Coordinates of all heavy atoms in Angstrom, one line a residue:
M1 N 76.8 78.6 115.3 CA 76.2 79.8 115.7 C 74.7 79.7 115.5 O 74.2 79.4 114.4 CB 76.8 80.9 114.7 CG 76.0 82.0 114.4 SD 77.0 83.2 113.6 CE 76.0 84.6 113.8
Q2 N 74.0 79.9 116.6 CA 72.5 79.9 116.5 C 72.1 81.0 115.6 O 72.6 82.1 115.8 CB 71.9 80.0 117.8 CG 70.4 79.8 117.8 CD 69.8 79.8 119.2 OE1 70.4 79.7 120.2 NE2 68.5 80.0 119.2
C3 N 71.2 80.8 114.7 CA 70.8 81.8 113.7 C 70.2 83.0 114.4 O 69.3 83.0 115.1 CB 69.8 81.2 112.7 SG 69.5 82.3 111.4
K4 N 70.8 84.2 114.1 CA 70.3 85.4 114.5 C 69.9 86.3 113.4 O 69.7 87.5 113.5 CB 71.4 86.1 115.4 CG 71.6 85.4 116.7 CD 72.5 86.1 117.6 CE 72.7 85.2 118.8 NZ 73.1 85.8 120.0
S5 N 69.9 85.7 112.2 CA 69.5 86.5 111.0 C 68.0 86.7 111.1 O 67.3 86.1 111.8 CB 69.9 85.8 109.7 OG 69.3 84.6 109.6
R6 N 67.5 87.5 110.2 CA 66.1 87.9 110.2 C 65.2 86.9 109.4 O 64.4 87.3 108.6 CB 65.9 89.3 109.7 CG 66.7 90.3 110.4 CD 65.9 90.8 111.6 NE 66.7 91.9 112.2 CZ 66.7 92.1 113.5 NH1 66.0 91.4 114.3 NH2 67.4 93.1 114.0
C7 N 65.5 85.6 109.6 CA 64.7 84.6 108.9 C 63.4 84.4 109.5 O 63.2 84.6 110.7 CB 65.5 83.3 108.9 SG 67.0 83.3 108.0
S8 N 62.4 83.9 108.7 CA 61.1 83.6 109.3 C 61.2 82.3 110.1 O 62.1 81.5 109.8 CB 60.1 83.5 108.2 OG 60.4 82.3 107.4
L9 N 60.4 82.2 111.1 CA 60.5 81.0 112.0 C 60.3 79.7 111.2 O 60.8 78.7 111.5 CB 59.4 81.1 113.1 CG 59.8 82.0 114.2 CD1 58.6 82.1 115.2 CD2 61.1 81.6 114.9
S10 N 59.5 79.8 110.2 CA 59.2 78.6 109.4 C 60.4 78.1 108.6 O 60.5 76.9 108.2 CB 58.0 78.8 108.4 OG 58.3 79.8 107.5
S11 N 61.4 79.0 108.3 CA 62.6 78.6 107.6 C 63.7 78.1 108.5 O 64.7 77.7 108.0 CB 63.0 79.7 106.7 OG 63.5 80.8 107.5
L12 N 63.5 78.2 109.8 CA 64.6 77.8 110.7 C 64.4 76.3 111.0 O 63.3 75.7 111.1 CB 64.5 78.5 112.0 CG 64.8 80.0 111.9 CD1 64.5 80.7 113.3 CD2 66.2 80.3 111.4
I13 N 65.6 75.6 111.1 CA 65.6 74.2 111.4 C 65.9 74.0 112.9 O 66.9 74.3 113.4 CB 66.7 73.5 110.6 CG1 66.4 73.7 109.1 CG2 66.7 72.0 110.9 CD1 67.5 74.1 108.3
P14 N 64.9 73.4 113.6 CA 65.1 73.3 115.1 C 65.9 72.0 115.4 O 65.9 71.0 114.7 CB 63.7 73.1 115.6 CG 62.9 72.5 114.5 CD 63.6 73.1 113.2
C15 N 66.7 72.1 116.4 CA 67.5 70.9 116.9 C 66.5 69.9 117.5 O 65.5 70.3 118.2 CB 68.5 71.3 117.9 SG 69.5 69.9 118.6
K16 N 66.7 68.6 117.2 CA 65.8 67.6 117.7 C 66.4 66.8 118.9 O 65.9 65.8 119.3 CB 65.4 66.6 116.6 CG 64.7 67.3 115.4 CD 63.4 67.9 115.8 CE 62.7 68.4 114.6 NZ 61.3 68.9 114.9
N17 N 67.6 67.2 119.3 CA 68.3 66.5 120.4 C 67.5 66.7 121.7 O 67.3 67.8 122.2 CB 69.7 67.1 120.5 CG 70.5 66.2 121.4 OD1 70.1 65.2 122.0 ND2 71.8 66.6 121.6
R18 N 67.1 65.6 122.3 CA 66.4 65.7 123.6 C 67.3 65.3 124.7 O 66.9 65.2 125.9 CB 65.2 64.7 123.5 CG 64.2 65.2 122.5 CD 63.6 66.5 122.9 NE 62.7 67.0 121.9 CZ 62.6 68.3 121.6 NH1 63.2 69.2 122.3 NH2 61.8 68.6 120.6
T19 N 68.6 65.0 124.5 CA 69.5 64.5 125.6 C 70.4 65.7 126.0 O 71.2 65.5 126.9 CB 70.4 63.4 125.1 OG1 71.1 63.8 124.0 CG2 69.5 62.2 124.7
S20 N 70.2 66.9 125.5 CA 71.1 68.0 125.9 C 70.5 68.7 127.2 O 70.1 69.8 127.2 CB 71.1 69.0 124.8 OG 71.9 70.1 125.1
L21 N 70.6 67.9 128.2 CA 70.0 68.4 129.5 C 71.1 68.7 130.5 O 70.9 68.7 131.7 CB 69.0 67.4 130.0 CG 67.9 67.1 129.1 CD1 67.0 65.9 129.7 CD2 67.0 68.3 128.8
K22 N 72.3 68.9 130.1 CA 73.5 69.1 131.0 C 73.2 70.3 132.0 O 73.4 70.1 133.2 CB 74.7 69.3 130.2 CG 75.1 68.2 129.3 CD 76.3 68.6 128.5 CE 76.4 67.8 127.3 NZ 77.3 68.3 126.3
T23 N 72.9 71.4 131.4 CA 72.8 72.6 132.3 C 71.4 72.9 132.8 O 71.3 73.5 133.9 CB 73.3 73.8 131.5 OG1 72.5 73.9 130.3 CG2 74.7 73.7 131.1
K24 N 70.4 72.5 132.2 CA 69.0 72.8 132.6 C 68.2 71.6 132.6 O 67.5 71.3 131.7 CB 68.4 73.9 131.7 CG 69.2 75.2 131.8 CD 68.6 76.2 130.9 CE 69.4 77.5 130.9 NZ 68.9 78.5 130.0
P25 N 68.2 70.8 133.7 CA 67.4 69.6 133.7 C 65.9 69.7 133.6 O 65.3 68.8 133.2 CB 67.7 69.0 135.1 CG 68.4 70.0 135.9 CD 68.9 71.1 134.9
K26 N 65.4 70.9 133.8 CA 63.9 71.1 133.7 C 63.5 71.3 132.2 O 62.4 71.1 131.8 CB 63.4 72.3 134.5 CG 63.5 72.0 136.0 CD 63.0 73.2 136.7 CE 63.1 73.0 138.2 NZ 62.7 74.1 139.0
Q27 N 64.5 71.6 131.4 CA 64.3 71.9 130.0 C 64.1 70.5 129.2 O 64.7 69.5 129.6 CB 65.5 72.6 129.4 CG 65.2 73.5 128.2 CD 66.4 74.3 127.8 OE1 67.5 73.9 127.9 NE2 66.1 75.5 127.4
K28 N 63.4 70.5 128.2 CA 63.1 69.3 127.5 C 64.0 69.0 126.3 O 63.7 68.3 125.4 CB 61.6 69.3 127.0 CG 60.6 69.2 128.1 CD 59.2 69.2 127.5 CE 58.3 69.1 128.7 NZ 56.9 69.0 128.2
G29 N 65.2 69.6 126.3 CA 66.2 69.4 125.3 C 66.6 70.7 124.7 O 66.3 71.8 125.2
C30 N 67.4 70.6 123.7 CA 67.9 71.8 123.0 C 66.8 72.6 122.3 O 65.9 72.0 121.7 CB 69.0 71.3 122.0 SG 69.8 72.7 121.2
R31 N 66.9 73.9 122.4 CA 65.9 74.7 121.8 C 66.5 75.6 120.6 O 65.9 76.5 120.2 CB 65.3 75.6 122.8 CG 64.6 74.9 123.9 CD 64.0 75.7 125.0 NE 64.3 77.1 124.9 CZ 64.0 78.0 125.8 NH1 63.4 77.6 126.9 NH2 64.2 79.2 125.7
K32 N 67.7 75.3 120.2 CA 68.4 76.1 119.2 C 67.8 75.8 117.8 O 67.4 74.7 117.5 CB 69.9 75.9 119.2 CG 70.5 76.4 120.5 CD 72.0 76.4 120.5 CE 72.5 76.9 121.8 NZ 73.9 77.1 121.8
K33 N 67.9 76.9 117.0 CA 67.4 76.8 115.6 C 68.4 77.4 114.7 O 69.0 78.4 115.0 CB 66.0 77.5 115.5 CG 64.9 76.9 116.3 CD 63.7 77.8 116.3 CE 62.6 77.3 117.2 NZ 62.9 77.6 118.6
Y34 N 68.6 76.9 113.5 CA 69.5 77.3 112.5 C 68.9 77.5 111.2 O 68.0 76.7 110.8 CB 70.7 76.4 112.4 CG 71.5 76.2 113.7 CD1 71.1 75.5 114.7 CD2 72.8 76.9 113.8 CE1 71.9 75.4 115.9 CE2 73.5 76.8 114.9 CZ 73.1 76.1 116.0 OH 73.8 76.0 117.1
C35 N 69.3 78.5 110.4 CA 68.8 78.6 109.0 C 69.8 77.9 108.1 O 70.9 77.6 108.4 CB 68.7 80.1 108.7 SG 70.2 81.0 108.4
D36 N 69.3 77.6 106.9 CA 70.1 76.9 105.9 C 71.4 77.7 105.6 O 72.5 77.1 105.4 CB 69.3 76.5 104.7 CG 68.7 77.7 104.0 OD1 68.6 78.8 104.6 OD2 68.3 77.6 102.8
R37 N 71.3 79.0 105.5 CA 72.4 79.8 105.1 C 73.5 79.7 106.2 O 74.7 79.6 105.9 CB 72.0 81.3 105.0 CG 73.1 82.2 104.4 CD 72.6 83.5 104.1 NE 71.9 84.1 105.3 CZ 70.9 84.9 105.3 NH1 70.4 85.3 104.1 NH2 70.3 85.4 106.4
C38 N 73.2 79.8 107.5 CA 74.1 79.6 108.6 C 74.8 78.2 108.6 O 76.0 78.1 108.8 CB 73.5 80.0 109.9 SG 73.1 81.7 110.1
L39 N 73.9 77.2 108.4 CA 74.5 75.9 108.4 C 75.5 75.7 107.3 O 76.6 75.1 107.5 CB 73.4 74.8 108.2 CG 72.5 74.5 109.4 CD1 71.3 73.6 109.0 CD2 73.3 73.9 110.5
N40 N 75.2 76.2 106.2 CA 76.2 76.1 105.0 C 77.4 77.0 105.2 O 78.5 76.5 105.0 CB 75.5 76.5 103.7 CG 76.2 76.0 102.5 OD1 77.4 76.1 102.4 ND2 75.5 75.4 101.6
K41 N 77.2 78.2 105.7 CA 78.3 79.2 105.8 C 79.3 78.8 106.9 O 80.5 78.8 106.7 CB 77.7 80.6 106.0 CG 78.8 81.7 106.1 CD 78.1 83.0 106.3 CE 79.1 84.1 106.4 NZ 78.5 85.4 106.6
F42 N 78.8 78.5 108.1 CA 79.6 78.3 109.2 C 80.0 76.9 109.5 O 81.0 76.6 110.1 CB 79.0 78.9 110.5 CG 78.8 80.4 110.4 CD1 77.5 80.9 110.3 CD2 79.8 81.3 110.5 CE1 77.3 82.3 110.2 CE2 79.7 82.6 110.5 CZ 78.4 83.1 110.3
Y43 N 79.2 75.9 109.0 CA 79.5 74.5 109.4 C 79.6 73.6 108.1 O 79.8 72.4 108.3 CB 78.3 74.0 110.3 CG 78.1 74.9 111.5 CD1 77.1 75.7 111.5 CD2 79.0 74.8 112.5 CE1 76.9 76.6 112.6 CE2 78.9 75.7 113.6 CZ 77.8 76.5 113.6 OH 77.7 77.4 114.7
N44 N 79.5 74.2 106.9 CA 79.6 73.5 105.7 C 78.7 72.3 105.7 O 79.0 71.2 105.3 CB 81.1 73.1 105.5 CG 81.3 72.7 104.0 OD1 80.7 73.2 103.1 ND2 82.3 71.9 103.8
E45 N 77.5 72.5 106.1 CA 76.4 71.4 106.1 C 75.3 71.8 105.2 O 74.9 73.0 105.1 CB 75.9 71.3 107.6 CG 76.8 70.7 108.5 CD 76.1 70.4 109.9 OE1 74.8 70.3 109.9 OE2 76.8 70.3 110.9
D46 N 74.7 70.8 104.7 CA 73.5 71.0 103.9 C 72.3 70.9 104.9 O 72.4 70.3 106.0 CB 73.3 69.9 102.8 CG 74.4 70.1 101.8 OD1 74.7 71.2 101.5 OD2 74.8 69.1 101.2
V47 N 71.2 71.4 104.5 CA 70.0 71.4 105.3 C 69.5 69.9 105.4 O 69.5 69.2 104.4 CB 68.8 72.2 104.7 CG1 67.5 72.0 105.4 CG2 69.2 73.6 104.6
P48 N 69.3 69.4 106.6 CA 68.8 68.0 106.7 C 67.5 67.8 106.0 O 66.6 68.6 106.0 CB 68.6 67.8 108.2 CG 68.7 69.1 108.9 CD 69.3 70.1 107.9
S49 N 67.5 66.6 105.3 CA 66.2 66.3 104.6 C 65.1 66.0 105.6 O 65.4 65.8 106.8 CB 66.5 65.0 103.8 OG 66.7 63.9 104.6
P50 N 63.9 66.0 105.1 CA 62.8 65.7 106.0 C 62.9 64.4 106.8 O 62.5 64.3 107.9 CB 61.5 65.7 105.1 CG 61.9 66.6 104.0 CD 63.4 66.4 103.8
E51 N 63.6 63.4 106.1 CA 63.8 62.1 106.8 C 64.8 62.2 107.9 O 64.8 61.5 108.8 CB 64.2 61.1 105.7 CG 63.2 60.8 104.6 CD 63.3 61.8 103.5 OE1 64.4 62.2 103.1 OE2 62.3 62.1 102.9
Q52 N 65.8 63.1 107.7 CA 66.9 63.3 108.7 C 66.5 64.2 109.8 O 67.0 64.1 110.9 CB 68.1 63.8 108.0 CG 68.8 62.9 107.0 CD 69.8 63.7 106.2 OE1 69.7 64.9 105.9 NE2 70.9 63.0 105.8
Q53 N 65.6 65.1 109.6 CA 65.2 66.1 110.6 C 64.8 65.6 112.0 O 65.2 66.1 113.0 CB 64.2 67.1 110.1 CG 64.8 68.1 109.2 CD 63.9 69.3 108.8 OE1 62.8 69.4 109.4 NE2 64.3 70.1 107.9
P54 N 64.0 64.5 112.0 CA 63.7 64.0 113.4 C 64.9 63.5 114.2 O 64.8 63.5 115.4 CB 62.7 62.8 113.1 CG 62.2 63.1 111.7 CD 63.3 63.8 111.0
K55 N 66.0 63.2 113.6 CA 67.2 62.8 114.3 C 68.3 63.8 114.3 O 69.4 63.5 114.9 CB 67.7 61.5 113.6 CG 66.7 60.3 113.6 CD 67.3 59.2 112.8 CE 66.3 58.2 112.6 NZ 66.7 57.1 111.6
W56 N 68.1 65.0 113.7 CA 69.1 66.0 113.6 C 69.5 66.6 114.9 O 68.7 67.1 115.6 CB 68.7 67.0 112.6 CG 69.7 68.0 112.2 CD1 70.8 67.8 111.4 CD2 69.8 69.4 112.6 NE1 71.6 68.9 111.4 CE2 71.0 69.9 112.1 CE3 69.0 70.2 113.4 CZ2 71.4 71.2 112.3 CZ3 69.4 71.5 113.7 CH2 70.5 72.0 113.1
S57 N 70.8 66.7 115.1 CA 71.3 67.4 116.3 C 72.1 68.6 115.8 O 72.8 68.6 114.8 CB 72.3 66.6 117.1 OG 71.6 65.5 117.7
C58 N 71.9 69.8 116.4 CA 72.5 71.0 116.0 C 74.0 71.0 116.3 O 74.5 70.2 117.0 CB 71.8 72.2 116.7 SG 72.2 72.3 118.4
P59 N 74.7 72.0 115.7 CA 76.2 72.1 115.9 C 76.5 72.2 117.4 O 77.5 71.7 117.9 CB 76.6 73.3 115.1 CG 75.6 73.3 114.0 CD 74.3 72.9 114.6
A60 N 75.7 72.9 118.2 CA 76.0 73.1 119.6 C 75.9 71.8 120.3 O 76.8 71.5 121.2 CB 75.0 74.1 120.2
C61 N 75.0 71.0 120.0 CA 74.9 69.6 120.7 C 76.0 68.7 120.3 O 76.3 67.8 121.0 CB 73.5 69.0 120.4 SG 72.1 69.9 121.2
R62 N 76.6 68.9 119.1 CA 77.7 68.1 118.6 C 79.0 68.8 119.0 O 80.1 68.3 118.6 CB 77.6 67.9 117.1 CG 76.4 67.0 116.8 CD 76.3 66.8 115.3 NE 75.7 68.0 114.7 CZ 76.0 68.5 113.5 NH1 76.9 67.9 112.8 NH2 75.4 69.5 113.0
S63 N 79.0 69.8 119.8 CA 80.2 70.5 120.3 C 81.1 71.1 119.2 O 82.3 71.1 119.3 CB 81.1 69.6 121.1 OG 80.3 69.2 122.3
I64 N 80.4 71.5 118.1 CA 81.2 72.2 117.0 C 80.7 73.6 116.7 O 81.0 74.2 115.8 CB 81.2 71.4 115.7 CG1 79.7 71.2 115.2 CG2 81.9 70.0 115.9 CD1 79.6 70.6 113.8
C65 N 79.9 74.1 117.7 CA 79.3 75.4 117.5 C 80.4 76.5 117.6 O 81.2 76.4 118.5 CB 78.2 75.7 118.5 SG 77.2 77.2 118.1
V66 N 80.3 77.6 116.8 CA 81.2 78.6 116.8 C 80.6 80.0 117.2 O 81.2 81.0 117.1 CB 81.9 78.8 115.4 CG1 82.8 77.6 115.1 CG2 80.9 79.1 114.3
C67 N 79.4 79.9 117.8 CA 78.8 81.2 118.3 C 79.6 81.7 119.5 O 80.3 80.9 120.2 CB 77.3 81.0 118.6 SG 76.9 80.1 120.1
A68 N 79.4 82.9 119.8 CA 80.1 83.5 121.0 C 79.8 82.9 122.3 O 80.7 82.6 123.1 CB 79.8 85.0 121.0
A69 N 78.6 82.5 122.5 CA 78.1 81.9 123.8 C 78.8 80.5 123.9 O 79.3 80.2 125.0 CB 76.6 81.8 123.8
C70 N 78.8 79.7 122.9 CA 79.4 78.4 123.0 C 81.0 78.5 123.1 O 81.6 77.7 123.9 CB 79.1 77.5 121.8 SG 77.4 77.0 121.8
R71 N 81.6 79.4 122.4 CA 83.0 79.6 122.6 C 83.4 80.1 124.0 O 84.3 79.6 124.6 CB 83.6 80.7 121.6 CG 83.6 80.1 120.2 CD 84.4 81.1 119.3 NE 84.1 82.5 119.5 CZ 83.5 83.3 118.7 NH1 83.1 82.8 117.5 NH2 83.3 84.5 119.0
R72 N 82.6 81.0 124.6 CA 82.8 81.4 125.9 C 82.6 80.3 126.9 O 83.4 80.1 127.8 CB 81.7 82.5 126.2 CG 82.0 83.3 127.5 CD 81.1 84.5 127.7 NE 80.7 85.2 126.4 CZ 79.4 85.2 125.9 NH1 78.4 84.6 126.5 NH2 79.2 85.8 124.8
Q73 N 81.6 79.4 126.7 CA 81.4 78.3 127.6 C 82.5 77.3 127.5 O 83.0 76.8 128.5 CB 80.1 77.6 127.2 CG 79.6 76.5 128.2 CD 78.3 75.9 127.8 OE1 77.8 76.1 126.7 NE2 77.7 75.3 128.7
K74 N 83.0 77.0 126.3 CA 84.2 76.1 126.1 C 85.4 76.7 126.8 O 86.1 76.0 127.5 CB 84.5 75.9 124.7 CG 83.6 74.9 124.0 CD 84.0 74.8 122.5 CE 82.9 74.0 121.7 NZ 83.3 74.0 120.3
S75 N 85.6 78.0 126.7 CA 86.8 78.6 127.3 C 86.7 78.5 128.8 O 87.7 78.2 129.5 CB 86.9 80.1 126.8 OG 87.9 80.7 127.5
K76 N 85.5 78.8 129.3 CA 85.4 78.8 130.8 C 85.6 77.3 131.3 O 86.2 77.1 132.3 CB 84.0 79.2 131.1 CG 83.7 79.3 132.6 CD 82.3 79.7 132.9 CE 82.0 79.9 134.4 NZ 82.1 78.7 135.1
H77 N 85.1 76.4 130.6 CA 85.2 75.0 131.0 C 86.7 74.6 131.0 O 87.1 73.9 131.9 CB 84.4 74.1 130.0 CG 84.4 72.6 130.4 ND1 83.9 72.1 131.5 CD2 85.0 71.6 129.8 CE1 84.1 70.8 131.6 NE2 84.8 70.5 130.5
Q78 N 87.4 75.0 129.9 CA 88.8 74.6 129.8 C 89.6 75.3 131.0 O 90.5 74.7 131.5 CB 89.4 75.0 128.5 CG 88.9 74.2 127.4 CD 89.3 74.7 126.0 OE1 89.8 75.8 125.8 NE2 89.0 73.8 125.0
T79 N 89.3 76.6 131.3 CA 89.9 77.3 132.4 C 89.7 76.6 133.7 O 90.6 76.5 134.5 CB 89.4 78.8 132.4 OG1 89.7 79.3 131.1 CG2 90.2 79.5 133.5
D80 N 88.4 76.2 133.9 CA 88.1 75.5 135.1 C 88.8 74.2 135.3 O 89.3 73.9 136.4 CB 86.6 75.2 135.2 CG 85.7 76.5 135.4 OD1 86.3 77.5 135.7 OD2 84.5 76.4 135.2
Q81 N 89.0 73.5 134.2 CA 89.7 72.2 134.2 C 91.2 72.5 134.5 O 91.8 71.7 135.3 CB 89.6 71.5 132.9 CG 88.3 70.8 132.7 CD 88.2 70.0 131.4 OE1 88.9 70.3 130.4 NE2 87.4 69.0 131.4
K82 N 91.8 73.5 133.9 CA 93.2 73.8 134.2 C 93.4 74.2 135.6 O 94.4 73.8 136.2 CB 93.7 74.9 133.2 CG 93.9 74.4 131.8 CD 94.3 75.5 130.9 CE 94.4 75.1 129.5 NZ 94.8 76.2 128.6
S83 N 92.5 75.1 136.1 CA 92.7 75.5 137.5 C 92.5 74.4 138.5 O 93.1 74.3 139.5 CB 91.8 76.7 137.8 OG 90.4 76.3 137.8
G84 N 91.6 73.5 138.2 CA 91.4 72.3 139.0 C 92.6 71.4 139.0 O 93.0 70.8 140.0
A85 N 93.2 71.2 137.8 CA 94.4 70.4 137.7 C 95.6 71.0 138.5 O 96.3 70.3 139.1 CB 94.8 70.2 136.3
T86 N 95.8 72.3 138.4 CA 96.9 72.9 139.1 C 96.7 72.9 140.6 O 97.6 72.7 141.4 CB 97.1 74.3 138.6 OG1 95.9 75.1 138.7 CG2 97.7 74.4 137.2
S87 N 95.5 73.1 141.1 CA 95.2 73.1 142.5 C 95.4 71.7 143.1 O 95.9 71.6 144.2 CB 93.9 73.7 142.8 OG 92.9 72.8 142.4
S88 N 95.1 70.7 142.4 CA 95.2 69.3 142.9 C 96.7 68.9 142.8 O 97.2 68.1 143.6 CB 94.3 68.3 142.2 OG 94.6 68.3 140.8
S89 N 97.4 69.4 141.8 CA 98.8 69.0 141.6 C 99.7 69.7 142.6 O 100.9 69.3 142.8 CB 99.3 69.2 140.2 OG 99.2 70.5 139.8
S90 N 99.3 70.9 143.1 CA 100.2 71.7 144.0 C 100.1 71.2 145.4 O 100.7 71.7 146.3 CB 99.7 73.1 143.9 OG 98.4 73.3 144.4
R91 N 99.2 70.2 145.7 CA 99.1 69.7 147.0 C 100.2 68.7 147.4 O 100.8 68.0 146.8 CB 97.8 68.9 147.2 CG 96.7 69.9 147.2 CD 95.4 69.2 147.4 NE 94.3 70.1 147.2 CZ 93.0 69.8 147.3 NH1 92.7 68.6 147.6 NH2 92.1 70.7 147.2

């Protein structure tokens, strides 16, 4: 879940993944940010240390995000795959 709490921007941990260009090729990578409380509460993760932060990928980039937008996208993707499989198998 991308952090929607009222945390200050300085306390949010930005995703450093630059390969998340699946949907928006003009974008320079993932722009999601998470607070330590959300990382711990929803993903049972500790805040990445300063040494780990340059390589840190957010839960959304690792396909473990539980926010509504990511769940909706996964559901849509699974539905598209099922409908594609049934249309090709009915031929």
Side-chain angles (χ1 to χ4, degrees):
M1 152 170 197
Q2 183 175 349
C3 186
K4 294 187 181 202
S5 62
R6 306 272 184 212
C7 295
S8 66
L9 285 176
S10 63
S11 67
L12 296 175
I13 300 133
C15 179
K16 301 295 184 174
N17 188 2
R18 297 293 172 214
T19 59
S20 179
L21 302 174
K22 298 174 204 168
T23 56
K24 297 180 181 174
K26 291 181 182 178
Q27 207 174 35
K28 293 183 179 179
C30 183
R31 297 179 356 188
K32 294 187 178 191
K33 298 172 185 73
Y34 294 79
C35 72
D36 58 345
R37 187 174 53 212
C38 289
L39 283 174
N40 198 314
K41 181 178 179 181
F42 296 108
Y43 307 104
N44 200 25
E45 288 186 22
D46 293 325
V47 176
S49 67
E51 298 84 36
Q52 295 171 324
Q53 279 189 9
K55 300 174 191 171
W56 185 73
S57 291
C58 72
C61 290
R62 291 181 280 145
S63 299
I64 60 170
C65 189
V66 294
C67 76
C70 288
R71 286 193 318 248
R72 195 176 320 116
Q73 187 177 17
K74 282 181 191 176
S75 174
K76 183 181 183 299
H77 182 69
Q78 289 171 351
T79 304
D80 290 347
Q81 283 183 336
K82 287 180 184 178
S83 65
T86 53
S87 65
S88 63
S89 64
S90 63
R91 291 182 186 178

